[in-house]
Amino acid sequence: MLYASIIIDISHENVDRMFQYRIPDSLQDKIGIGTLVSVPFGNGNRTRKGYVVELSAKADYEEDKMKEIAGIVPGSVTADTRLIMLAWWMKERYGSTMNQALKTVLPVKRKVKARKDDVLPTGSLPAAGGTVLNTDQQRVVEAFRCAYDAGDRTPFLLYGVTGSGKTEVYMAMIEHVLAAGRQVIVLIPEISLTWQTVLRFYRRFGERICVMHSRLSAGERYEQFDRARNGKTDIMIGARSALFTPFSNLGLIVMDEEHEGAYKSEMTPRYHAREVAEKLSRMHNAAFVMGSATPSVESYDRARSGIYRLFELPNRASKEMRPASVEVVDLRKEIQNGNKSIFSDRLRELMADRMEKKEQTMLFINRRGYSSFVSCRACGEALKCPHCDVSLTLHNRESQYGLGRKEPTGRQGRMVCHYCGFQMELPKRCPSCGSPYLAGFGIGTQKIETLTRELFPEARILRMDMDTTSKKGSHDRLLSSFANGEADILIGTQMIVKGHDFPGVTLVGILVADLSLCAPDFRSAERTFQLLVQAAGRAGRGNRAGTAVIQSYMPEHYSIRTAADQNYPAFFEKEMDYRSVVGYPPVCHMLCIQVAGKEEELVTHMMESIRVAVEHNFGTGVPVIGPVPAPVYKINDIYRKNLYMKQKNYDILIRIQKYVQNRWDETESCRRLTVQYDFS
Ligand code: ADP
Ligand code: ZN
Ligand code: ZN
């Protein structure tokens, strides 16, 4: 390599300003990605420091005008060096440009506006005082301490049922690492990042903690990262981007709820936080601990083959907390018996019982990929967004007026597209056939609230969904008011099953367990199992026994049966059988190439030529599936198609990705399209 691209003043904003320099012969084998160098810059003989972010054998402009690197800055492996090296690794592994990768790892530099302090819901503060670890917990912590002190950096997978005290275990591990003078990153999926969780850490570790969540402004995020850079904090808690905290001596990464889908980024580079955490921990010689009550199939498979060390916490931490008993109700039989309501007889009976005993109930609807849409009873057409290939969702007026208030009479709802934001009034007649018989279908959370009120008029009901939690702080407020016993029934989507402790809940109703099974995703059975186990885990966290009722149209499906038995290993066996037969991860790796554009024919044409080129160049050993329309084919008038390739060898997929990208860059008509790569 003869030339190096350098960024002076490394920050997100300056990523587009790279300058190419010649590498003198004497430094040829001393300079790599992330090296801090001094270079002549601007007029006169001034030198500045800058980071090497790319190396090339090709000069971007005339060589005789190019300046030369003056030297390497001594002692120059900084936190930024490691972030740049990490960005390079992400670019290679996930198929992005270096620019995109740097923008992902570097914070946006911005001044912080004077901030109004958020009002914290302190009412639900957990009881003070540390817990003494039980023998199961001690065994894990002891193994961690030994491995850590011996320099063994094999990642830990902690498989512990809900309420088994994983958080206490993490905190004991963190203490050990802090005592060695090193820093810690704690990853929590955004959805579980409630004040209740954060407060537990505050109570233990005090002011040395920083919290990073998506509702911070860019300036606030920058400020948090800056505190870490300047050694003012030791523990960063946050969602996946907390990985990019510039700690100088990182000693441990904890990843709670490691199975969560939110750990995968949806922006290029589409990285998975688990993989990046593993890489980062190796770069720092730090420990890496993952935990879950329902480990991802990938991680459990790795634990079984010895790549991770597996630890189990099979029981709830305190003896008073008994696991919930789980009942499965077959909804087909309910209909046969003439019950067309969304509540089975059994669930209704248990809800009435809880109302009487003044205990709390949670009703859970897994609404992802599903919503209340409106269709015509005459012609059957659903009302669709004119720009996207999805049904519009019906929002009642009520949601705009706040919880519990009545809709202004005579007003109908609005139709909203959840993909592009398009809105319209609910039409009086069907746009296709003109019939006036339009009707809402499906059960959204609002509908469930209405039906629950009809059944239990005296119940105090809270509802949690996108509408009631869009305001800053409302998520935490709703959860803590329920935890404080200010309502009898909490209705919500997946956001109610994560993170928060509700000691008063003794009944959990899962209204239609199969909804997530129908999602067009090879992980749909895994997601369903995880959601059901977690939802059931919400029942009986206090000292009273709890019951979970799973209502389902497919009670014989293995993900529902094993969830009802709370039997993860049984689920894992079945799921691995399925993945082996069809060749999905972790049995194979998969690359999805998605091409998108406004011209449908051009998208199709380009996908075909990619398929032919890959088959021609990589031979029959690389079967290509597709092109097929993406699960949502059209969004915002843009058409999207996918090609899938499965391989045991990840490197072959990377070679394919690079090959496609090179041809793409050389093809004129590709300027009117976009391409994205997604590895799994
Ligand atoms: P998890 O993260 O595995 O769901 P938590 O760490 O939240 O579990 O613990 C669940 C509850 O049990 C918490 O209220 C916690 O304070 C309590 N707990 C944890 N460890 C113990 C212990 N050794 N003895 C008694 N209670 C415990
Ligand atoms: Zn019609
Ligand atoms: Zn739309």
Side-chain angles (χ1 to χ4, degrees), residues 71 130 194 236 250 256 296 337 343 387 404 437 518 559 620 648 669:
T194 61
M236 180 65 82
L250 182 67
D256 193 26
S296 64
N337 296 338
F343 301 104
H387 308 289
Y437 301 111
C518 310
S559 67
T620 49
K648 285 211 191 294
S669 53

Side-chain angles (χ1 to χ4, degrees), residues 446-463:
Q446 294 179 350
K447 179 83 178 173
I448 294 168
E449 184 184 356
T450 310
L451 293 172
T452 310
R453 272 189 209 292
E454 282 170 13
L455 215 53
F456 301 103
E458 73 285 11
R460 296 165 303 161
I461 300 176
L462 280 177
R463 189 184 90 227

Side-chain angles (χ1 to χ4, degrees), residues 366-370 419 494 512-529 531 554 557 559 575 578-579 584 630-632 644:
N366 173 17
R367 216 177 43 152
R368 186 169 289 171
Y370 178 85
Y419 281 83
Q494 23 274 72
V512 194
D514 341 88
L515 284 180
S516 55
L517 268 182
C518 310
D521 175 358
F522 73 87
R523 294 186 211 276
S524 62
E526 184 181 0
R527 296 256 178 275
T528 302
F529 175 84
L531 277 168
M554 294 184 236
H557 192 283
S559 67
E575 184 66 9
Y578 157 69
R579 306 251 177 127
Y584 282 130
V632 182
Y644 297 93

Side-chain angles (χ1 to χ4, degrees), residues 206-350:
E207 295 292 291
R208 303 293 292 173
I209 285 182
C210 266
V211 182
M212 182 80 64
H213 56 84
S214 65
R215 292 193 176 169
L216 294 180
S217 67
E220 288 166 330
R221 295 170 80 81
Y222 185 75
E223 189 184 59
Q224 304 287 59
F225 278 140
D226 227 34
R227 287 184 59 188
R229 194 188 302 278
N230 299 328
K232 292 193 181 134
T233 181
D234 299 318
I235 304 174
M236 180 65 82
I237 302 182
R240 59 171 191 258
S241 63
L243 273 176
F244 309 122
T245 308
F247 280 132
S248 61
N249 193 7
L250 182 67
L252 168 66
I253 303 174
V254 172
M255 186 174 192
D256 193 26
E257 314 264 18
E258 67 81 33
H259 62 276
E260 268 294 324
Y263 281 127
K264 173 90 183 262
S265 173
E266 290 182 342
M267 308 240 291
T268 305
R270 296 187 167 210
Y271 68 92
H272 197 294
R274 191 195 307 118
E275 294 166 353
V276 175
E278 211 175 322
K279 174 70 185 171
L280 187 66
S281 61
R282 258 182 275 127
M283 287 167 64
H284 280 266
N285 192 27
F288 178 33
V289 175
M290 292 155 274
S292 173
T294 53
S296 64
V297 171
E298 274 96 337
S299 295
Y300 199 74
D301 183 51
R302 292 177 142 236
R304 289 210 322 176
S305 49
I307 301 169
Y308 298 160
R309 284 181 72 181
L310 181 66
F311 290 92
E312 293 186 34
L313 296 175
N315 304 308
R316 292 199 168 187
S318 88
K319 292 220 170 53
E320 291 95 69
M321 292 199 299
R322 274 162 292 167
S325 64
V326 183
E327 300 178 20
V328 179
V329 173
D330 187 341
L331 286 175
R332 294 168 304 192
K333 292 206 178 114
E334 294 291 314
I335 290 178
Q336 280 165 22
N337 296 338
N339 176 12
K340 293 198 185 108
S341 109
I342 58 165
F343 301 104
S344 61
D345 290 343
R346 178 62 178 151
L347 180 55
R348 199 166 42 202
E349 180 190 321
L350 288 171

Side-chain angles (χ1 to χ4, degrees), residues 131-134 137 161-168 200 317-318 321 501 541:
T131 43
V132 180
L133 297 182
N134 63 34
Q137 289 168 317
V161 299
T162 313
S164 58
K166 293 186 288 297
T167 311
E168 300 296 328
R200 285 175 73 177
S318 88
M321 292 199 299
D501 249 340
R541 289 207 100 183

